[in-house]
Amino acid sequence: MVNRRLIGGRFLGSLLLVAVSIVTLSAQTKRTFTNPRPEPYFKALFPNAGGFSTFGGEPLHYKVYGVDPKTSPNAPPIGFIFWTTDVSPKDYGYHGPIHFLVGMDTHGIIQGVVMDYNSEPYGYFSVDPPKFVEQFKNKSIRDPFQIGRDIAAVSRASITMNHAARVLRDSTRTMAKTFLTPDSIKQQ
């Protein structure tokens, strides 16, 4: 009798361990792995920021403050920093998602973009060069984000370029729709 309880307890314990492992693994696969320490890029995106929130919310993001939120807890955010892979997780280029870290102010204007990682076969001459992400600085979410129109095109990398423009357009517009009011993003 004792032996059956011991075996039954071990079986239930093993079953519980397997169930917890499956739940943990499935939760981890819902988010694309990104750079776990993007903070060094924050001041490049918002040089005059006074502080940043912790990573969280839906969609996942950091809030940017003009003053330190620890000393002024009621300070409104002046912008948001987010990964395109968190806001538009199912958007892929030729080989996979391109990891862009985007800084956008509360008027729907992109303050800067950092291309942190890509596995695109033509990424080294299309999205890797600094001039590619520089063209998004001060771009409004109202802009068309079209290759060859308001975004410089690179031949032989059309899938990569279209993905980059699309994911930056869609993720900034999703963030604006979630956190900004229509009046705040009117053309000025």
Side-chain angles (χ1 to χ4, degrees), residues 7-21:
I7 292 171
R10 285 184 181 169
F11 176 75
L12 285 176
S14 298
L15 190 62
L16 180 63
L17 181 63
V18 168
V20 168
S21 298

Side-chain angles (χ1 to χ4, degrees), residues 15-29:
L15 190 62
L16 180 63
L17 181 63
V18 168
V20 168
S21 298
I22 289 171
V23 169
T24 302
L25 288 174
S26 69
Q28 289 177 344
T29 59

Side-chain angles (χ1 to χ4, degrees), residues 132-177:
F132 176 74
V133 293
E134 287 168 3
Q135 66 186 322
F136 293 95
K137 187 172 176 69
N138 297 318
K139 185 175 261 318
S140 170
I141 63 162
R142 296 174 163 274
D143 292 344
F145 290 77
Q146 291 181 342
I147 301 298
R149 184 170 167 197
D150 64 326
I151 297 172
V154 173
S155 64
R156 298 188 343 240
S158 58
I159 294 172
T160 299
M161 298 297 290
N162 283 311
H163 161 66
R166 184 178 58 248
V167 76
L168 286 164
R169 179 197 65 211
D170 293 351
S171 61
T172 54
R173 289 178 180 174
T174 297
M175 289 295 289
K177 190 187 301 184

Side-chain angles (χ1 to χ4, degrees), residues 16-154:
L16 180 63
L17 181 63
V18 168
V20 168
S21 298
I22 289 171
V23 169
T24 302
L25 288 174
S26 69
Q28 289 177 344
T29 59
K30 290 181 182 178
R31 181 171 183 263
T32 301
F33 178 78
T34 53
N35 180 344
R37 297 281 178 228
E39 292 83 3
Y41 296 129
F42 287 6
K43 281 295 189 174
L45 297 173
F46 283 93
N48 298 323
F52 306 93
S53 72
T54 57
F55 191 54
E58 183 62 39
L60 291 168
H61 65 282
Y62 297 90
K63 288 182 182 161
V64 182
Y65 296 95
V67 295
D68 187 354
K70 294 174 186 142
T71 58
S72 299
N74 294 329
I78 61 168
F80 305 92
I81 295 175
F82 54 91
W83 290 105
T84 55
T85 52
D86 288 328
V87 182
S88 299
K90 296 188 187 310
D91 202 328
Y92 294 96
Y94 183 81
H95 188 257
I98 300 173
H99 300 207
F100 290 111
L101 187 65
V102 181
M104 182 180 73
D105 71 13
T106 54
H107 298 290
I109 305 297
I110 296 173
Q111 299 300 301
V113 176
V114 174
M115 196 290 299
D116 187 60
Y117 172 78
N118 83 82
S119 60
E120 298 295 292
Y122 298 117
Y124 69 94
F125 67 83
S126 59
V127 295
D128 279 355
K131 68 180 182 177
F132 176 74
V133 293
E134 287 168 3
Q135 66 186 322
F136 293 95
K137 187 172 176 69
N138 297 318
K139 185 175 261 318
S140 170
I141 63 162
R142 296 174 163 274
D143 292 344
F145 290 77
Q146 291 181 342
I147 301 298
R149 184 170 167 197
D150 64 326
I151 297 172
V154 173

